[in-house]
Amino acid sequence: MNKNDLFELTITDMGTDGEGIGHYDGMTFFVKDALIGDVITARAIKLKKNYGYARVEEIKSPSTFRVEPKCPLHRRCGGCQIQALSYDKQLEFKNEKVRNNIIRIGGFDADFVDQIMLPVVGMDAPYRYRNKAQFPVGKDKDGNIVTGFYAARTHSIIPVEDCLLGVKENEEILDIVKEWMTENSVEPYNEEKHEGLVRHILIRYGFTSKEIMVCLIINGKTLPHSKALCERLAMIEGMTSISYNVNTEKTNVILGKETECIWGQPYISDTIHLRTYPDFDETEIGIQYQISPQSFYQVNPEQTEKLYSTALEFAGLTGNESVWDLYCGIGTISLFLSQKAKQVYGVEIVPQAIEDAKNNAKLNCITNAEFFVGKAEEVLPEFYDKAGENESDMLRPDVIVVDPPRKGCDEKCLDTMLKMLPERIVYVSCDSATLARDLKILCEGGYELKKVQVFDQFAHSVHVETVCLLSKKL
Ligand code: SAH
C-alpha cells in the first residue's frame, strides 16, 4: 500500500482517544471520526511497518451507533471527540476503557473486575452541562478578533460563538469582550510572536447561584480600558466577579499566578447538594463554595453530585473517623466528608484554593476540617515522620481520599498512604491509566480493590472520571 491509496475498511474497535480502528491487508489502521461499526472508504495518510493512519473519504455504510451530532463543528473542534456516537454507546466505551486499563495496566483478573464494577453513571441530558469555559483569543486571516476552541491537536482557533456543552451566557460575554477589544485596539495574544495582550477568556457560571465570573488572561501586567469593559459586562444579569490574570510566560498553561479583581468580588459562590447520598436529605447536605479563578472546581455540576455522593458512600463514615483528603482543591470533598467524620485534613498545592477551602469551611460553619498548602507527596510524609503520639488521628487515619490530577499520585504519596494503614482508601480519578497503575501499587501494598464506578463528567469527549474503593486486607 502507498500513501493516499483508497481502500475499504470496516471499523471493529475504538482507541482510547475515540479513533476508529480497523484491519486491512495485515495492517491495523487508526481513523479519526470513524465509529465502531462503520464501513468506510479510507485514504491512507501515514504508513508504518504494520500499522497506519487513514482518513474517512466516504462512509459507505454507517454504524448503527452513529447519530447526527448537534454541533456543526464537532469534527474540526478538539473539544468533543465522540459526539457522533450515540450517548449509550459513549457510556459503554468509557466503561470499557476503564475496565481495560484496570486489567491491562493494573494487572487485575478480568472476571474479578467484572464482579466489582458498578454500572456506569451517565447524564440525563448531556448538553450545556459545563460551568466553566476557557476560550482562546486570536485573529482570523482577515484580522478580525475571534474566540473559540483549538482544532484537534493544534493551536489554530476555530471560531465558536456558542459551544453546546457550555452555558448560553458565554456567547454574550464573548461578544462584549471582542467588541471592547476592537473599539479600544486591545490586541489578542499571538503565540508565535509572543506579542499582544489577551490570551484567554475564562468564564465560570454557578449553576445554583446563577453568579458569573469573567477573567481575562493577559500577557501583561495591567489591563488598559478596563473600566469600559467592566461597565458593559456588569450589565449582564448575574455578573459577580471580573478580573484579569497575568500570564507573561511562553507556555501552554492557561493561567498565571497573579489575579487582580477589577469589578465585584474576587470569587463566585455555588452550592452542591448531595441529593443521591442515601442518609441525607437535600437540606442537610448542601454545601456552599466560594470559587476563585485559579481554583479547581468540577465542571459538571449534575454529575459532581453523583460522584461526590459515591465517594462519600465509599468512605463509609459513622462520625468517629479521621480522614485525609489529598488533592482537595477548594475543599469540595473535604467539607462533605467533615459532615460525617470526626476530623478531616485536606492537602492541596494551589495556595489560593486552600484560602478558598478555609473560607468555605467558615462559610458553612464547619470546624472539623483543617487545610494544608503543599504537595501531597511532601506534606503527607512530613506529617508521618514528625507527628507525635498525640497526633495519632493524623498518623493513623481511618480513611484516605485522593483525587489527583491526570498524572495520578506520586509514589512517595502512595508509600506514605500504605504506611498509615487506613481502613479504606477512596480513589477519585480523571485518568484511568494512572489510576490502574496506582491501584496496582496499593493492592501490592496490602489493599484490596472492592468497588469501581465510572461517571460521565465529560459527555462527548473521551475523558472519564472513576471512583474506586479499596480496603485493607484482613
Ligand atoms: N478534590 C477536588 C480537586 C480535585 S482536582 C475537587 O473535587 O474539587 C486535583 C487537585 O489537585 C487540583 O486542585 C490541583 O491543584 C491539585 N494538585 C495537583 N498536584 C498536586 C500535588 N502534587 N499535591 C497536592 N495537590 C495537587
Side-chain angles (χ1 to χ4, degrees):
M1 176 164 326
N2 296 310
K3 198 177 159 187
N4 279 324
D5 277 1
L6 294 175
F7 58 103
E8 186 181 293
L9 189 68
T10 302
I11 305 298
T12 51
D13 206 351
M14 275 173 76
T16 49
D17 293 329
E19 72 279 22
I21 298 175
H23 302 278
Y24 182 83
D25 204 13
M27 306 248 302
T28 302
F29 279 94
F30 300 94
V31 195
K32 188 178 167 296
D33 299 318
L35 300 181
I36 186 164
D38 278 342
V39 180
I40 62 167
T41 304
R43 185 183 287 278
I45 50 175
K46 201 171 182 181
L47 295 167
K48 299 277 179 184
K49 194 158 166 253
N50 44 23
Y51 69 95
Y53 298 89
R55 208 178 33 224
V56 179
E57 197 69 14
E58 188 199 354
I59 299 171
K60 295 181 88 175
S61 158
S63 161
T64 51
F65 307 119
R66 209 170 248 290
V67 292
E68 191 55 45
K70 287 201 182 179
C71 174
L73 297 169
H74 79 104
R75 273 183 75 161
R76 290 177 58 211
C77 171
C80 289
Q81 301 87 12
I82 51 173
Q83 214 185 91
L85 192 64
S86 73
Y87 189 58
D88 283 350
K89 196 69 185 171
Q90 287 187 22
L91 295 178
E92 193 186 311
F93 162 75
K94 292 187 184 192
N95 208 48
E96 222 17 55
K97 178 164 158 170
V98 175
R99 179 182 176 273
N100 286 341
N101 279 339
I102 294 179
I103 295 167
R104 204 169 42 81
I105 302 171
F108 292 87
D109 176 69
D111 287 340
F112 168 74
V113 175
D114 290 338
Q115 279 165 28
I116 59 164
M117 272 189 91
L118 299 163
V120 48
V121 181
M123 299 193 69
D124 295 336
Y127 283 95
R128 299 238 177 257
Y129 61 79
R130 284 186 68 97
N131 58 17
K132 174 186 166 185
Q134 300 177 124
F135 298 90
V137 187
K139 272 190 179 170
D140 66 12
K141 52 182 187 314
D142 302 322
N144 301 313
I145 294 170
V146 288
T147 56
F149 292 109
Y150 291 129
R153 293 186 193 87
T154 74
H155 271 200
S156 54
I157 298 171
I158 296 173
V160 177
E161 291 294 317
D162 180 29
C163 166
L164 298 175
L165 303 191
V167 293
K168 271 236 161 271
E169 285 74 1
N170 291 341
E171 201 178 350
E172 191 184 351
I173 295 168
L174 293 180
D175 280 346
I176 290 176
V177 177
K178 277 188 287 192
E179 231 178 73
W180 164 81
M181 286 177 71
T182 310
E183 284 173 18
N184 294 284
S185 306
V186 176
E187 287 293 308
Y189 178 62
N190 179 316
E191 244 181 350
E192 276 156 29
K193 296 187 184 150
H194 192 51
E195 286 172 3
L197 192 67
V198 182
R199 301 174 74 127
H200 274 85
I201 302 165
L202 161 73
I203 306 172
R204 267 198 168 122
Y205 178 82
F207 270 54
T208 54
S209 64
K210 312 263 185 278
E211 291 182 1
I212 300 174
M213 161 187 288
V214 176
C215 177
L216 264 53
I217 293 100
I218 59 169
N219 173 40
K221 299 269 183 235
T222 53
L223 189 67
H225 313 289
S226 62
K227 203 163 161 252
L229 176 69
C230 292
E231 269 168 15
R232 283 195 220 169
L233 285 175
M235 307 286 278
I236 294 177
E237 205 186 323
M239 190 57 61
T240 304
S241 168
I242 307 174
S243 57
Y244 67 84
N245 170 279
V246 176
N247 185 357
T248 52
E249 304 286 312
K250 260 189 155 177
T251 167
N252 282 341
V253 177
I254 295 179
L255 285 167
K257 289 203 166 70
E258 286 162 52
T259 305
E260 185 70 33
C261 178
I262 50 174
W263 186 88
Q265 52 193 41
Y267 55 81
I268 58 163
S269 303
D270 200 24
T271 306
I272 302 178
H273 295 281
L274 296 200
R275 274 175 270 258
T276 45
Y277 186 75
D279 286 357
F280 289 103
D281 69 31
E282 199 179 315
T283 46
E284 242 188 295
I285 197 150
I287 293 187
Q288 202 190 341
Y289 295 96
Q290 287 181 358
I291 310 144
S292 308
Q294 275 153 286
S295 299
F296 175 90
Y297 187 60
Q298 288 280 354
V299 297
N300 181 335
E302 178 189 332
Q303 292 300 90
T304 301
E305 290 183 8
K306 302 174 192 168
L307 181 84
Y308 287 177
S309 292
T310 302
L312 197 54
E313 208 182 316
F314 284 3
L317 303 174
T318 62
N320 299 317
E321 294 83 1
S322 63
V323 185
W324 280 96
D325 178 23
L326 307 179
Y327 313 88
C328 69
I330 60 169
T332 26
I333 298 179
S334 323
L335 298 185
F336 280 112
L337 293 164
S338 73
Q339 312 264 304
K340 277 292 207 170
K342 191 169 89 195
Q343 184 68 35
V344 178
Y345 306 103
V347 182
E348 159 65 43
I349 198 170
V350 176
Q352 190 54 52
I354 287 291
E355 281 305 300
D356 283 346
K358 288 179 179 168
N359 281 335
N360 290 332
K362 269 194 220 132
L363 189 70
N364 293 281
C365 304
I366 290 168
T367 52
N368 62 337
E370 230 182 297
F371 294 98
F372 306 97
V373 182
K375 293 182 177 171
E377 60 273 26
E378 290 175 3
V379 173
L380 202 66
E382 238 165 71
F383 269 107
Y384 187 77
D385 291 340
K386 288 203 193 126
E389 274 316 306
N390 57 342
E391 288 158 313
S392 62
D393 256 22
M394 295 173 116
L395 276 176
R396 298 262 172 269
D398 300 280
V399 180
I400 299 180
V401 178
V402 297
D403 183 4
R406 284 188 197 162
K407 68 176 183 209
C409 295
D410 189 277
E411 271 211 60
K412 238 196 275 160
C413 176
L414 293 171
D415 246 21
T416 314
M417 286 162 64
L418 289 170
K419 283 192 208 151
M420 288 178 153
L421 295 169
E423 284 305 316
R424 287 175 294 286
I425 296 171
V426 179
Y427 197 131
V428 183
S429 155
C430 56
D431 185 314
S432 56
T434 57
L435 167 71
R437 177 201 70 198
D438 292 350
L439 289 178
K440 185 169 191 228
I441 295 171
L442 292 171
C443 288
E444 283 168 358
Y447 282 77
E448 241 174 331
L449 185 57
K450 290 286 189 186
K451 287 177 187 174
V452 176
Q453 191 157 31
V454 173
F455 293 81
D456 188 24
Q457 299 288 102
F458 316 105
H460 308 295
S461 84
V462 291
H463 299 293
V464 52
E465 195 89 7
T466 310
V467 187
C468 296
L469 169 64
L470 297 111
S471 59
K472 197 163 71 187
K473 262 188 215 145
L474 294 174

